[in-house]
Every structure is written in structure tokens, then in C-alpha cells.
Amino acid sequence: MVYLMIKELSPSSDEVIIVTSSLMKDMNSKTDLYRANAIRVLCRITDGALLGQIERYIKQALVDKNVVVASAALVSGIHLLQSNPEIVKRWSNEVQEAVQSRSALVQFHALALLHQIRQNDRLAVSKLVTSLTRGSIRSPLAQCLLVRYTSQVIRETASGSQTGERPFYDFLEGCLRHKNDMVILEAARAITELNSVTSRELTPAITVLQLFLSSSKPVLRFAAVRTLNKVAMTHPLAVTNCNIDMESLISDQNRSIATLAITTLLKTGNESSVDRLMKQITNFMSDIADEFKIVVVEAIRSLCLKFPQKYRTLMNFLSNILREEGGFEYKKAIVDSILILIRDIPDAKDSGLSHLCEFIEDCEFSYLSTQILHFLGNEGPKTPDPSKYIRYIHNRVILENATVRASAVSALAKFGALVESLKPRILVLLRRCLYDNDDEVRDRATLYLSALEHGSQLEDKDFRADKFVFGSLDVPLANLEASLQAYVASEVRFDIHSVPKDAKAQPYAEKKAAGPKKPAKDTAMPVAANELSSSGVKSTDAYEKLLSSIPEFSTFGKLFKSSSPVELTEETEYEVNVVKHIYPGHVVLQFNCTNTIPEQLLENVHILVEIVEGDEFSEVVSKSLSSLPFNSPGQAFVAFEKPEGVYSLGKFANTMRFIVKEVDKDTGEVEDEGVEDEYQLEELEVLPSDYFLKKAVPNFKNAWENLSPEFERVDEYGLGVRENLNEAVQAVIEIFGLQPCEGTEVVPANARSHTCLLAGKFVGDISVLVRLSFGIDPQKQVAMKLSVRSEDQYVSDAIHEIISGA
């Protein structure tokens, strides 16, 4: 207890001397338990200076014959490696000797410490694995560690190898025949997680896991079925041989095992087995908790998307369980699944909406009711018989709370706006809502009545209330929210036209070098530094005001886009970043410079820009900076002319030239004569994404349908080998620089297919929408279908040219 108390109290450096001498005596005690505990406590409270004094005792303890003492020293070494790595690395010989110990625990701790000592040296780790895979490890725990280290070496070697060979694979396969179940499972898991693993390599691991499915030990059955569940995400065909064994696990007393078996079967089953699986799942669902039910619902959703012709069976199943008892998260998972199936399987729309209408009659969750009503208002008017949904919606107006009533009013109004034959009936129902006892319901009814009855007869001829209320919102919600917050605090009348339509710019600079990004110096706009958009981000209008005040740029026309600052220097005596300003026929580079040396004054600062790539650019204006005192930001400009209305790509080499004058630190006096000098900056690229402006589209489907298919272009591309779909999706989004819509930039873990929606404007204020459909095969090859609609054929072709040349 005294050892534990000292360890937890962690005495400070001036107090530690009080207990150190006592603990050092205990390290040499004849009682092994005292020796072990003294080592643990000393290593916990010691500092680097004291560690040097007790190092000799710890090195002796590492090879001690007593298991408890040796393990205590090894575990202490693992902790000390974080604070005193240089001292611990000197113990390599003793640790290597401990690896050969006959004790399973000592061998385990010794191997863990030896690997941590060498982990930053790939060659040393490879040599360690090579020496140990020859059979010197007897401890099952250490063998599991060795399997993990071996799979790590395989991954690192394969990533740099062009032959595709896997060193040490035979060792992993040999571990599948180990006498210890723990080692067998670790080896099987390691094989299944290898990058680009082949069916031949998977087969022995799958065979072993199949044997464990019928084990009498629940932990082995669970480990096997969980591993197979992960394999089924990438190699479903390899797991099909285990389906019969997994079907027997559906009735397993352990519900976790049964749930994993069900979800694995849903991933590996074929179309003919769907009906049989649904019957088994129906009996199974009532016996498991909501958290397991959610997993099953998500698996069923994936199965329906895989076999869309089976939507009736699966939709009926989801509808039945939706009416059963369950918590909010469970019901939300079912509703979300039905909405996704309606969206992705057109034939399922009518039956899916009917099921949802029946559900909201008895739905106890207001959030789900409003979600369904919102979806019903968007999709219901497009069905063959929209009138049948009016009764369900109107019942919500009568029977529900204020939140749901307000959503029901909005849904009714959308039917009136989109279905002309229902408009008189909707107007009658909305007039009844004018007498509701809730302000929100009355306000919505008043707004929608005005829009439906007088939408095109307002004073402002350019503003159509009906189009505003029922059309797609053409401003980002974040900008609208910020503008409304500013309006509440002011007395100025709110004007929707004043809301910025540009998506928020990134507040951080794009770094040229790898590593963590840091915020760019706020030196972009000395004239308009306080002119912020209502969203709180420096707006293009403020940049445009600055640039138009410079006579040489005033004839360039309207500024289309200003990029985020791109750093051109590292942590050096001069800090320079650049903002790319895009005009229809020009590109202006604004170099924001800061002098961080107090003893220097820079004069006649100008940026020499050399065109490395980009024949379409020609320099037309260069503006220098007359003076750059210490820590006082300044700007230099270089402008290029390019063909108007096209995306011209280029690479530029940049050099900052100036006259440097010495400054007296005490008096601040500047020397009369200076010395010419120059400073090399990073290269800069003008990218395709610079010609696209992010523009949020809240309802992508409506916006897509509103754009004429005349300028639509569709093609398919191979993106090569990627680690996962998310990597491919983020790479394409970065290339285009368009705004992801409706959260489609988020890719579910282990997804095999994904659709991403992008929207924005091309230089010249031309609207463009992009629909990306991704798929990944078991060999990690990614294919992409690219569909583009825009207001100009050149823009649609340009999008495809950009991805072709990427």
C-alpha cells in the first residue's frame, strides 16, 4: 500500500529525495516482491538525473531470474521510453537477452519493449522480425505481438515493392496451425487485413475461422464471426462458404454473435437467399436490443441497394418493424433507411411513402414526424397520385403538437404549389390554419397563402414570392443564419439580396509543404481589413474594393474569386503568402509580405515572377512595395493576361528582390546606403479549382432538373488503386474546388459505392452541377462515373478535361 501511495502521489523533484534512498534500498532487498515494486515506483517518480544513478540496478533487473522482477523492469522501461529514450535505448542487449526468457510474461514484455526501441528504424524492425520468425518465441502472448509486427512489416514492404511479393506471409500462414487459439485468431485477422489480399491468400484464414464458428467457446465464435463480418465488406465471395455455419449462429444465445452472423449473411447472401433470410430475421429481431437492431437495419438497407428488385420484400420488412416497439435511434435508423431507398430506387417511392404515412399516424417522436413531412412535401407531389397523401398530412395539422403542425403546413403548401389540381383544396386547408393557437403555424400559413395566391403580383417585379418559398434556396444556410442574427441586432429592414451567395472561404492558408497547417498572417487587405461579410469571413467584395482602387486593375472587370492565402515561405526571416484573384481575362497575384527582422528595413520590394508552365499567360502589370519596415505588412502585385472565359493553368517561380538597410535597435535610425538582395520563394500554381466558386445548393435534385440536359456530359473514369473510397472522393473534391451538397462528402466506413454531389459557379458566373458515382472492387481499384450539367457546353467539357488530365 505504501508503494501504491507513493506512485499515485508522484512527489515533486524537491520531495522525491525523501523516498528515493528508501526505494533504492528496496531494489536490493532479498524479498522479490519489494524489489519489483520499488523498481515500478522509482521509474514512475524519477527524472533523467536520478535515472542515471539507478540505471545499473534496472539493467540487472531486466535479466533477473525472478519473473516478477524482470517484468517490472521491462514494463518500467516501456514507460520510461517516452521521457528518457536515450537512456532506455542503451538497454538493448539486456532486453534482447530477456526476449529469450523461458517465462511467457517476460518474453511478452521484452518483445514489446524491444520493438518500441527500434520502431523508428524500419530496417531494424525488419531484422527483428526476421530473427524471431524462425521459431525462438514460445510465449503465446509474445507470438501475438510478433504476428502484429510481422503484418506491419508486410504492409510497409509491399507499399514500396513493385513485385507484389509478400515477405513473411509463410510465417503468418504457419501461425494458423499454432496450438494456441489466440495466436490462430491473431494470424487469421492479420491475413484478412493485408492490403490487396488475394483469394488464394485468404482461403487458409477463412477455413480456420469457419472451424471456430462451431466452437463450444463463445469468445472464439464471436472473434471468428466478427473477423468474417469485416472480410465480407471487401471480399463477400470468400465468405460464402461459411454461410451454412453462420445460419446456425442466428439462434446463438449470445446476441452479439447472432447479430454479427445476421449482418454477415446479409452482406454475403445472393438474391435467391433474401426471402429465407428475412423469415429468419423476423423471429430474431424481437430478442435483441435496439443497438443490435440498428446494425441489422443498416445491413438490410445495403442489401436492398445491392438487389433493388427485392425492394418490396425488404421495404415491407422495414415497415413492419417500424410499427413495433423501439427507441428513437432505432426508429430513426429505419426511417433514414426507407428515405434512402426511396431516393435511390425510383420504383420504391410510392410504397415507401405510403409506409411512412401510416407510421406518422402513431409516431411518438416529433423529430421523425417533421423529417417525414418535409420529405413528403418534396417527393409526394411527383408521384402518380399525390392526392392520397393530403389526408395524412392534414391529420398532423389537427392532431399533433405545434412543431409537427408547422411542418405539416409547409408540406401542404408544397403540394399546392406543385400540383395545380390540388391548389383550391390546399388553399382551404391553409385558411383554417390561420386560426391556430401557435404563432409559427399561423405565420407559415399566412406566408404560404400569400405566395400561392399573390406570388407574382408583388411590387418588386424581380422578386417572385412563390419561387422564393417553394424554389431552391440559392444562398448558403450559414450565410443566411449570420445575416439574420445581424438583422435581429439592428433596426435596418432585412433584405434577402444582401446575403452573400458565396460559400465560406477556408480561414487557413494552403500549405505548400507537408505537415500541420498554420493560419496565414492576416495581411491580405490593409485597406479593407475590417470589411467582413455577414458570415464573418473576408468577402470577395472587400478584395474587389481594394483592387479597384488600384488604377492598373480598374479595367479588368468584375472580380470572380479570391483564393485563400497560399504560404510561399517556411519559418524564416521573411513571411510571404499570396492570394490569387481571378478575373474573366486576368489573374492578379497579391503577395502579402512581412519583415520579421527588427534590425532591417526593406525598400523597393518587388516580386519577380517567372512563368515555368502556362503559355497562355503574359505579364501586364507589376507593382512594387516602396518600403517594408519590421512587422508592418505590405503588398506587392503582379497581374497576368489570359484568354477570357477559359481556365488557363500555370506554374510560376517567384523571387522577392529588395534593398536591405540596417536599422539601429536603440535609436531606430536607418543607414543611408543599402545592399541589393533577393529571397527565393516557393513555386505557385494556378489550378483548375481556382476557376470554380463554391455555391451551396440546398436541394440538388431540383437544381439538377432546372438545368437543361442540353449541356449535360457523362463519362466514366478509372482512378487507380486507392486505400478506400473516402480517399478517392476527397481527392476529386479537392481537384474541382466545388461545394459538396447534402453531406455527400462524408463516405460511410467500408463503403463499396458512394455518390457525391457538387455545385458551384465557373468563371463568368456560369452555374455548374456535378454528380460523382464511385465504386471500389476487392483489388482496391476505384471507378468513377462523372455526370455534369451546366449553362455552357464549354464548362461541361472542361470538367471532364480536368479529371482526364489529373
Side-chain angles (χ1 to χ4, degrees), residues 37 41 76 108 120 147 209 265 376 445 542 561 588 632 745 804:
N37 282 327
V41 177
S76 298
F108 169 64
N120 295 323
V147 167
L209 293 171
L265 286 168
L376 200 57
K561 177 184 177 180
V588 177
S632 179
E745 72 276 16
S804 298

Side-chain angles (χ1 to χ4, degrees), residues 525 527-533 537-539 541-543 545-546:
M525 293 183 291
V527 176
N530 295 321
E531 296 185 24
L532 303 181
S533 69
V537 179
K538 287 179 180 175
S539 67
D541 292 340
Y543 277 122
K545 184 176 181 180
L546 168 66

Side-chain angles (χ1 to χ4, degrees), residues 44-62:
R44 179 67 176 264
I45 67 175
T46 190
D47 56 14
L50 182 60
L51 182 60
Q53 299 177 31
I54 64 173
E55 181 183 5
R56 178 169 58 90
Y57 299 107
I58 297 177
K59 290 174 74 171
Q60 290 175 355
L62 290 171

